[in-house]
Amino acid sequence: MRMGRKNWTNYETNKNIARVLILHRIWHNYSQENMAKINRTTFQQYQKVEKCHNRIFAEQLFAICKDRKWDISLFDQEPMEILIKWKNRDFPDYKIFPDKVHRIIKAWEKLDREGEANYYGKDKSLELNNIHL
């Protein structure tokens, strides 16, 4: 495996893409299986994209956006800002967050806990954490 492509900048980009995919999927009530079909991949392959274990190809990302009529430029924005904007747009009178907002945040928290280990591999992640000490 070529580790040169797996660096901190690429990880942050990969994690941002995963966050936006999770946001879209949960907000629009799609399953990972639905997303995999659009992507022409298996459920497991798509699931690994959302976990930062695998990276998504640009053509797959464009295919999803085209099929679902999503704005591709959202993948270059801060996911939390998108979530707040959508919450205010779709649920302006809610004093508490709708369930889907909680599910999105919970999925993001899991990605934050496990994403680095998934991206670099468990041993590499531990090695990188020791360097930062």
Side-chain angles (χ1 to χ4, degrees), residues 1 13-14 16-17 24 28 30 51 55-57 73 75 81 86-90 99 108 114 116 119 124:
M1 176 170 45
T13 301
N14 194 48
N16 194 65
I17 289 170
H24 271 295
H28 297 293
Y30 298 127
K51 291 180 175 184
R55 292 178 280 178
I56 190 166
F57 291 108
S73 68
F75 286 89
E81 291 175 12
W86 288 3
K87 185 263 177 205
N88 292 337
R89 179 195 68 198
D90 294 354
D99 181 56
W108 286 352
E114 300 172 4
E116 186 176 340
Y119 188 74
K124 188 67 174 175

Side-chain angles (χ1 to χ4, degrees), residues 24 28 30-31 33-38 61-71:
H24 271 295
H28 297 293
Y30 298 127
S31 68
E33 192 170 295
N34 295 134
M35 298 296 286
K37 286 179 185 174
I38 298 165
L61 197 54
F62 281 111
I64 291 171
C65 291
K66 184 177 179 183
D67 185 80
R68 296 296 176 196
K69 296 175 179 52
W70 294 345
D71 181 5

